[in-house]
Amino acid sequence: MSVSPSLLPLSAIVTRLRAVGCVFAEDEARLLVTTARTPDELATMVDRRVAGLPLEHVLGWAEFHGLRIAVDHGVFVPRRRTEFLVDQAVGLARPGAVVVDLCCGSGAVGAALITALGADSPIELYAADIEPAAVRCARRNIPADKGRVYEGDLYEPLPAALRGRVDVLVANAPYVPTDAIRLLPPEARDHEPRVALDGGADGLDVQRRVLAEAAQWLAPDGHLLIETSEGQAPRTAETFARHGLIPRIAGCEELGATVVIGTRPTTV
């Protein structure tokens, strides 16, 4: 049952959120109050959060790498651990680099790269995702004058002229094993697209597809970065090596993040 807008002081919102298990109820309540434009909108937002929708879908945005990333209902919510993927890519992108963001989702990684590298180190950005809703979000988060967003499966929609020219290729491909999806929090399991979560039987199916063509798209000495789990990383690195890339594994304990980075040799 909805609470009348006149009866929605911060303490009442916190109480409702705590009652449904929101661990950070105070923080969420403040975000809802500061985002809502009217009392009626606030009441609706609280009802949606209490009903189990992800906070980011209720707010319409997610905080990521210092940015507010637009996130519509049904779109994968960027995770804080993926900020580590951005940081690793920033360290490899020279001025004028051609950067491709596969499985871009809301475009959070691409938008963060554009902002982090700034005007002093501009990049040529291309992003792609198979989900139409995600592509719509990505086109809002990545300005048209800063990058191009394509709809399609992995490399399929990218301009053919990019083959052999990509300096940095990032892929936050789904890596949850199919049988483990049922163990995810309901917010992810019930409200994010299955295609953004399901990595197949061992979680590595989409990664293998990315790697199968990566060397054809990378420039000599170009880099591929794939987010994965700590347990999966050794197998991911082995797949990098099988496809001619020199792999290394980077991790961040604070964020619980693992990224496998592969470099295409200058001579193949």
Side-chain angles (χ1 to χ4, degrees):
M1 179 177 178
S2 300
V3 176
S4 169
S6 63
L7 300 177
L8 276 176
L10 186 66
S11 59
I13 298 173
V14 170
T15 298
R16 291 193 71 197
L17 295 177
R18 281 180 178 160
V20 295
C22 294
V23 177
F24 302 105
E26 293 86 354
D27 294 337
E28 292 195 14
R30 280 191 286 270
L31 286 170
L32 292 168
V33 168
T34 56
T35 300
R37 292 165 293 188
T38 67
D40 286 335
E41 185 176 43
L42 176 58
T44 298
M45 291 171 72
V46 173
D47 287 345
R48 295 178 72 208
R49 181 62 179 133
V50 168
L53 269 72
L55 176 66
E56 294 82 2
H57 288 166
V58 175
L59 296 173
W61 55 268
E63 185 175 344
F64 181 80
H65 213 270
L67 303 175
R68 282 194 174 187
I69 300 295
V71 180
D72 291 336
H73 180 67
V75 174
F76 181 81
V77 175
R79 298 343 189 215
R80 184 163 178 256
R81 62 175 172 268
T82 305
E83 294 179 357
F84 182 65
L85 176 66
V86 172
D87 292 338
Q88 296 301 300
V90 166
L92 296 170
R94 57 174 176 74
V98 174
V99 178
V100 169
D101 179 10
L102 289 185
C103 305
C104 71
S106 62
V109 170
L113 286 171
I114 290 169
T115 302
L117 291 164
D120 293 336
S121 185
I123 58 174
E124 188 179 331
L125 178 70
Y126 303 84
D129 199 281
I130 198 170
E131 274 287 306
V135 169
R136 288 193 294 270
C137 267
R139 286 175 176 160
R140 290 162 59 194
N141 291 314
I142 298 173
D145 62 336
K146 301 291 186 181
R148 297 182 181 181
V149 182
Y150 299 88
E151 181 182 329
D153 186 22
L154 298 182
Y155 303 97
E156 180 270 329
L158 296 176
L162 291 179
R163 285 180 178 269
R165 293 185 52 232
V166 178
D167 299 299
V168 177
L169 173 59
V170 295
N172 188 14
Y175 55 91
V176 180
T178 302
D179 288 345
I181 289 178
R182 60 185 174 82
L183 305 176
L184 293 175
E187 292 178 346
R189 186 180 67 234
D190 298 338
H191 298 285
E192 293 184 322
R194 179 81 175 226
V195 70
L197 301 171
D198 193 342
D202 63 355
L204 305 180
D205 281 0
V206 184
Q207 292 185 11
R208 282 189 280 264
R209 292 183 58 219
V210 170
L211 279 157
E213 296 186 49
Q216 302 171 35
W217 291 85
L218 288 174
D221 204 34
H223 308 282
L224 169 64
L225 299 89
I226 292 183
E227 179 178 295
T228 192
S229 72
E230 183 178 9
Q232 292 166 322
R235 283 176 293 161
T236 300
E238 290 173 4
T239 308
F240 270 65
R242 283 200 300 272
H243 288 283
L245 304 181
I246 302 169
R248 64 182 176 90
I249 299 172
C252 175
E253 186 174 349
E254 178 185 355
L255 294 176
T258 303
V259 173
V260 180
I261 303 167
T263 302
R264 179 189 167 190
T266 303
T267 57
V268 181

